[in-house]
Amino acid sequence: MRKTTLKDIAEAVGVSKATVSMVLNNKEINVSESTREKIFNSAKELNYIPNSVARSLSTKKTETIGIILPDIENPFFSEIARAIEDVANKFNYNVIFCNTDNKNDKEEQYIKLLISKLVDGMIFLTGVGKEESINILKNNNVPFVLVDRYMENVEEFNGVYCLNEEGVEQGVDYLLQNGKKRIAFVTGPMELSVSKKRLDGYKKSMTKRNIYKDELIFEGDFTTEGGIKVTQSILKSKVSVDAIFYGNDAMALGGMKVLLRKGYNIPEDISIIGFDNIRISSFVQPELTTIGQPIYHMGKEACKLLINTIEHKDEKKQIYFKPELIIRDTV
Ligand code: RIB
């Protein structure tokens, strides 16, 4: 059984292939209403699926957006991907998700693949911020939007960002208001610009109160397993802490698991605060206090900004979102 073609419909209705193509593509053509109806009915009966590659070669558009993200298992990325897809579908765009594990070569491979598939634009979530990837897109004139991925000359790029330093400062202030002083900070992967920004917010806040100590900083990897490992090393390090500020919720959830299993009471023995406000953070016990990012809203605005750029090539725009302290039960 082979794929139905325009020729099959033309023979079934008794018109030329060109007529069928013009009618199915809603082009201006002088045919009777009954012929038009016969063509649409025959296409339906024969389950005709237009060849999108052929179509995009002529229209130079695929109505497809590439989403490049580091870790689809991290709920932050699946939640923001959901928002991007909702907006894309509303504007009749499809999406292709690419998981890079923050590996540059994988990211560049995906960018080249998506360009070869003629995607109309790309959204970069987090990532290392290497110029190479961006240059490939610029050289191929592919519209793109950065999310939480800081480049040197940020105003040169379309981007959606959270005010990361401000968010961490809010969290440190809240811990201090609750009498905590020996606040450990667990960073994300330090090759990420977003991790550096959050660590800067922590250092600024702790230095302002003369309680900053290098020994209170631990490097994590933004995953739950990484949160488990780094919390075990904090306990082994014998550094005395009365609070742990995790650079994202996924690591905070891992840390809570270790502490609760070792018999610590949260927050009585040790306070915990996270960053993101992923949905699951309100379902764990005790419910996680965290610095919330407007994840859905960020995804929505990033997709709208990209579609705007694809369709109008507007000026470059940076959108900054304010984080919000979400007070629950772990401080
Ligand atoms: O949890 C993953 C982190 O990477 C989030 O904090 C988000 O900001 C993304 O950049």
Side-chain angles (χ1 to χ4, degrees):
M1 182 71 179
R2 61 173 174 71
K3 187 174 173 340
T4 303
T5 65
L6 286 176
K7 191 162 168 285
D8 299 320
I9 300 167
E11 282 165 7
V13 176
V15 295
S16 72
K17 231 173 79 170
T19 301
V20 172
S21 170
M22 299 284 274
V23 165
L24 291 184
N25 285 301
N26 298 315
K27 294 271 193 287
E28 280 298 307
I29 179 168
N30 184 11
V31 287
S32 68
E33 245 340 278
S34 73
T35 304
R36 188 180 293 277
E37 207 175 312
K38 279 183 195 152
I39 289 171
F40 280 114
N41 290 341
S42 165
K44 195 157 174 273
E45 272 154 39
L46 297 172
N47 291 314
Y48 170 70
I49 297 170
N51 178 330
S52 64
V53 174
R55 219 162 74 85
S56 54
L57 285 175
S58 59
T59 61
K60 294 277 174 286
K61 281 199 73 177
T62 54
E63 274 92 39
T64 306
I65 291 172
I67 319 286
I68 308 253
L69 50 84
D71 177 9
I72 195 83
E73 273 184 86
N74 178 330
F76 172 87
F77 294 111
S78 41
E79 288 179 32
I80 201 168
R82 170 82 238 193
I84 292 170
E85 188 186 26
D86 286 349
V87 171
N89 288 174
K90 194 169 137 224
F91 289 90
N92 297 319
Y93 282 83
N94 301 303
V95 295
I96 300 175
F97 294 110
C98 304
N99 209 50
T100 66
D101 297 321
N102 277 324
K103 293 193 174 62
N104 272 316
D105 49 352
K106 206 171 170 196
E107 181 176 274
E108 283 170 28
Q109 262 172 345
Y110 268 134
I111 292 170
K112 288 173 185 157
L113 173 79
L114 291 172
I115 290 173
S116 72
K117 287 188 178 302
L118 297 175
V119 294
D120 298 319
M122 290 186 214
I123 296 179
F124 275 86
L125 298 169
T126 310
V128 186
K130 277 268 180 288
E131 289 291 335
E132 185 43 32
S133 301
I134 305 297
N135 291 338
I136 299 172
L137 292 160
K138 280 178 164 176
N139 298 342
N140 287 277
N141 195 22
V142 176
F144 63 92
V145 168
L146 303 174
V147 176
D148 246 4
R149 181 181 180 134
Y150 297 83
M151 307 300 288
E152 280 314 305
N153 32 6
V154 68
E155 66 293 334
E156 241 192 67
F157 304 99
N158 282 312
V160 169
Y161 308 96
C162 179
L163 296 170
N164 286 292
E165 294 100 312
E166 192 176 304
V168 173
E169 287 179 56
Q170 269 180 16
V172 172
D173 288 348
Y174 182 63
L175 287 165
L176 294 168
Q177 285 156 25
N178 283 273
K180 307 297 173 179
K181 283 199 172 30
R182 298 186 307 285
I183 305 167
F185 188 77
V186 179
T187 72
M190 281 313 288
E191 69 269 21
L192 297 181
S193 50
V194 71
S195 305
K196 293 185 183 94
K197 293 254 174 210
R198 288 182 196 162
L199 180 56
D200 290 349
Y202 169 80
K203 285 183 173 176
K204 208 161 100 187
S205 213
M206 297 290 278
T207 307
K208 201 162 62 180
R209 291 169 181 80
N210 294 319
I211 49 173
Y212 173 78
K213 286 192 192 125
D214 270 339
E215 66 182 29
L216 288 171
I217 293 176
F218 298 82
E219 182 166 354
D221 63 0
F222 274 161
T223 68
T224 306
E225 299 70 20
I228 290 171
K229 282 200 199 87
V230 77
T231 305
Q232 288 165 340
S233 53
I234 290 175
L235 297 178
K236 248 187 241 128
S237 73
K238 300 287 175 239
V239 170
S240 146
V241 296
D242 55 15
I244 306 178
F245 194 149
Y246 292 88
N248 80 335
D249 288 353
M251 295 193 293
L253 299 182
M256 282 171 65
K257 188 178 175 70
V258 171
L259 294 165
L260 292 168
R261 191 183 278 168
K262 286 184 181 292
Y264 284 84
N265 294 309
I266 297 174
E268 295 74 11
D269 299 335
I270 188 161
S271 292
I272 302 290
I273 194 165
F275 200 111
D276 282 347
N277 190 25
I278 53 178
R279 247 187 269 284
I280 190 119
S281 63
S282 64
F283 292 113
V284 290
Q285 279 305 327
E287 293 183 19
L288 180 63
T289 296
T290 186
I291 301 299
Q293 299 199 64
I295 301 174
Y296 193 88
H297 202 170
M298 287 170 75
K300 208 170 89 171
E301 290 308 312
C303 194
K304 279 165 62 180
L305 183 53
L306 179 65
I307 291 172
N308 214 12
T309 308
I310 291 169
E311 296 181 356
H312 310 295
K313 300 253 181 282
D314 274 353
E315 81 294 344
K316 296 288 177 268
K317 200 169 157 191
Q318 295 78 41
I319 306 172
Y320 292 91
F321 284 91
K322 277 181 84 58
E324 181 198 353
L325 171 63
I326 310 285
I327 297 175
R328 296 196 181 104
D329 305 325
T330 55
V331 173

